[in-house]
Amino acid sequence: MQSTWRIAPALLACALSVTARAEVVSNTNMSFFTVTGLTPAEIYRNILDRGPRVSGARALATIGTRATQDGGLKQHDGSCRVTDYVISLEFDIQRPHIANEHVLPPEDRALWQEMNMFIVAHEDQHKKVWQACAAELDQRMLTLSASNCGELSSKAEALWNEMLVNCD
């Protein structure tokens, strides 16, 4: 996981007509690793042998998330607010792909398709968790304020770091 936070000092002087907005943007990159086998057991062993690792352990699939944020701060009438806030989520998913699914008998092919659907749903659930966390933070940033922009920057950074820990 990777994160960045940028508050451009020039944005402190933004025109007063700038309205606060926030959004969450996400992009998913999908890659596959090829596996072989003539039985479900052979395919499973090949997935574990050739597939990704998560914290050193063998995995059926993986999802990596890079979260970044960008925005500005605007001082007006004794308070500072976050402006033009954007959270970007970049998901990298790696899943198995059988080299030749048609070598499997129909019942084994159905089992593979069922397992593959489970993998897709599982990785999608990870994405949904991150998107929900980001959406919650996004809304909190719209209402966040402080008497000065230095204080607001510290509050915003603390909320960002909290989201990164809670969502991972």
Side-chain angles (χ1 to χ4, degrees), residues 4-167:
T4 60
W5 171 254
R6 180 187 66 80
I7 300 284
L11 291 177
L12 293 175
C14 281
L16 297 179
S17 63
V18 175
T19 58
R21 74 169 175 79
E23 67 179 308
V24 176
V25 178
S26 67
N27 184 44
T28 302
N29 303 306
M30 185 77 63
S31 64
F32 298 89
F33 59 97
T34 302
V35 296
T36 59
L38 299 176
T39 67
E42 287 175 5
I43 292 168
Y44 180 72
R45 279 193 299 276
N46 198 248
I47 288 172
L48 294 180
D49 290 342
R50 300 183 74 188
R53 297 195 182 266
V54 175
S55 301
R58 295 174 177 180
L60 300 178
T62 61
I63 183 169
T65 305
R66 280 182 305 284
T68 58
Q69 64 176 341
D70 195 7
L73 301 175
K74 181 175 75 172
Q75 184 78 39
H76 179 64
D77 289 339
S79 78
C80 185
R81 309 267 318 200
V82 174
T83 62
D84 300 321
Y85 187 67
V86 178
I87 297 173
S88 297
L89 300 172
E90 181 92 14
F91 300 106
D92 292 315
I93 298 175
Q94 187 178 25
R95 293 192 347 231
H97 171 74
I98 295 179
N100 186 0
E101 192 175 313
H102 297 291
V103 300
L104 297 172
E107 60 276 359
D108 289 345
R109 191 168 41 248
L111 287 172
W112 162 253
Q113 290 167 349
E114 186 177 318
M115 185 176 91
N116 195 48
M117 287 174 31
F118 168 79
I119 291 170
V120 169
H122 179 84
E123 299 306 327
D124 196 45
Q125 188 61 38
H126 286 290
K127 283 176 50 176
K128 288 178 182 176
V129 166
W130 272 100
Q131 289 167 330
C133 284
E136 180 183 328
L137 178 62
D138 182 68
Q139 290 305 303
R140 290 176 75 184
M141 288 293 186
L142 280 176
T143 62
L144 197 61
S145 68
S147 59
N148 66 68
C149 290
E151 180 185 341
L152 181 62
S153 179
S154 295
K155 283 182 179 181
E157 186 69 22
L159 288 175
W160 174 255
N161 290 329
E162 179 183 311
M163 188 224 35
L164 292 177
V165 170
N166 290 340
C167 296

